[in-house]
Amino acid sequence: MPKVDTPVDITKDFRPISLTPTVSKVLESFVGQWILDELEGKLDGRQYDALKGRSTTHELVDILHLWHQALENNCAVRAVFVDYAKAFDHVDHSIVIQKLLDLGVRKVLVRWLCSFLVERQQRVKFSEYISDWLTLNGGMPQGSYFGP
C-alpha cells in the first residue's frame, strides 16, 4: 500500500503487508483461541480489545459511564489519549513471551508463538517491482490472530 500519493521509491514509499497462507491462519486461530482459554479470568476486566464479544464501543460506553458517575458526584474528570505511532511495529517479542509465561500459559503454546514471531520476513511488491527481504526483529503481524 502506498504511503504517499505519488510513490517513487519502493523501499520508502510503500507500506509492507504481511500475508499469511490460509492454512497457517487456521492453525493460528486454533492456537490463539487456546491461549485465550488459558488466559480466561486472568486479564483485567476492562480489557476490551482483541476479546470475543468486546470492542472499542464497549470501552467507550464504559468510560462514558464512569465519567458521568464522576460528574454526578462532583468529581473532576481528566483524560489523556495517546496514539502510538507504528505501535504494531514496536512490540517487543520478549516482553509478550514473558507476560504469557507469567500468566501461566502452557509452555508448548508459548514456544509455538515464539516460532510464529521469530525471524519473520517481509518485502514489498508493487507491479513488477519487488524489494529485498527484510527480517523483522519485533512487531506483530497486522491482520493476524495475534496482531492485537
Side-chain angles (χ1 to χ4, degrees), residues 61-75:
V61 169
D62 188 39
I63 198 75
L64 284 172
H65 176 72
L66 290 172
W67 288 348
H68 283 274
Q69 278 184 324
L71 293 173
E72 285 175 6
N73 294 320
N74 295 321
C75 296

Side-chain angles (χ1 to χ4, degrees), residues 16 119-124 131-137:
E119 296 182 17
R120 288 186 71 85
Q121 293 186 318
Q122 70 182 22
R123 68 179 175 175
V124 177
S131 70
D132 293 330
W133 285 101
L134 173 68
T135 300
L136 306 174
N137 52 7

Side-chain angles (χ1 to χ4, degrees), residues 71-125:
L71 293 173
E72 285 175 6
N73 294 320
N74 295 321
C75 296
V77 174
R78 296 182 182 140
V80 175
F81 297 91
V82 179
D83 182 14
Y84 293 100
K86 298 191 176 215
F88 281 92
D89 297 341
H90 294 102
V91 173
D92 184 330
H93 296 160
S94 61
I95 293 172
V96 172
I97 298 305
Q98 190 57 53
K99 294 270 187 193
L100 291 173
L101 290 171
D102 291 346
L103 289 167
V105 173
R106 294 178 202 200
K107 290 184 182 177
V108 66
L109 297 173
V110 174
R111 283 194 303 270
W112 188 93
L113 184 60
C114 284
S115 71
F116 177 78
L117 294 174
V118 171
E119 296 182 17
R120 288 186 71 85
Q121 293 186 318
Q122 70 182 22
R123 68 179 175 175
V124 177
K125 179 181 183 226

Side-chain angles (χ1 to χ4, degrees), residues 49-61:
D49 188 31
L51 295 178
K52 194 172 190 171
R54 292 183 172 210
S55 69
T56 53
T57 303
H58 292 101
E59 169 63 23
L60 290 171
V61 169

